[in-house]
Amino acid sequence: MPTPLWKQMLIPASFRGMPFHVEIGAKASGRRNVVHEYPKRDDPYTEDMGRRARKFQISAYVIGSFYVLEREALVSALETEGQGTLIHPTMGPVQVICDGYTVAESREEGGMARFEIQFVEAGTTPFSPAATNTQSATSSAANSAGTAAASSADAALKSQSGPADGHIF
């Protein structure tokens, strides 16, 4: 019997380059809604506030004679600050942040560590970093304008010729 197409399309799972096997993978999302209910009105107004952050729940494991090293490498990757690339077996690469994990080992399953990992999509920051220091740029522009105005005023005063006796009035 040939291998089903969906099995052929699976890609190896990893986070920050640390490989693991996936037992169960789940994704959750939806819409963020706010329901407004008003006194003396029977009909509410529901406001759509956009898509919820996608969350990924993965039941994973590392197994084999080097599982202890693989376990520690995966733990280190999960505890590293900031976003990283999750290679999901069916969804491909996703930028995520580890929201939490548990790791368990049992006597019956020697040579294996099981993980329950929660990821949340990293998304993008709504704030773009300032390209220039605007306070410094404004101060510099004001100083330049002041210097230019003073130079212009000096030049205007020097170009005026007063009466021969030196009195202006």
Side-chain angles (χ1 to χ4, degrees):
M1 176 173 246
T3 305
L5 181 60
W6 69 269
K7 277 190 175 181
Q8 294 175 31
M9 294 180 66
L10 290 176
I11 55 178
S14 66
F15 180 61
R16 296 183 199 264
M18 297 300 121
F20 56 86
H21 301 281
V22 174
E23 190 75 29
I24 299 171
K27 177 172 115 176
S29 189
R31 305 296 298 174
R32 292 178 293 127
N33 297 306
V34 176
V35 178
H36 302 280
E37 296 180 294
Y38 303 97
K40 305 290 184 189
R41 280 186 59 185
D42 291 338
D43 61 327
Y45 167 65
T46 303
E47 183 177 5
D48 187 332
M49 303 295 284
R51 181 178 58 79
R52 288 185 186 276
R54 292 182 179 120
K55 296 183 179 183
F56 304 90
Q57 174 73 34
I58 295 181
S59 296
Y61 62 94
V62 292
I63 191 168
S65 42
F66 297 106
Y67 93 94
V68 172
L69 298 174
E70 293 173 358
R71 177 197 66 206
E72 292 309 308
L74 184 54
V75 165
S76 178
L78 294 170
E79 292 180 347
T80 298
E81 182 179 353
Q83 70 183 32
T85 302
L86 167 67
I87 305 296
H88 191 281
T90 59
M91 290 182 269
V94 184
Q95 289 299 306
V96 296
I97 295 175
C98 178
D99 198 32
Y101 73 91
T102 59
V103 60
E105 298 171 71
S106 72
R107 182 180 47 81
E108 291 87 20
E109 296 179 328
M112 175 184 221
R114 292 188 175 274
F115 287 82
E116 291 296 325
I117 311 169
Q118 300 83 38
F119 294 107
V120 63
E121 74 177 314
T124 56
T125 179
F127 310 105
S128 61
T132 58
N133 180 342
T134 56
Q135 184 176 8
S136 176
T138 302
S139 178
S140 178
N143 288 341
S144 295
T147 302
S151 294
S152 179
D154 284 345
L157 288 174
K158 287 179 183 176
S159 68
Q160 289 180 351
S161 57
D165 64 2
H167 295 300
I168 295 176
F169 297 121

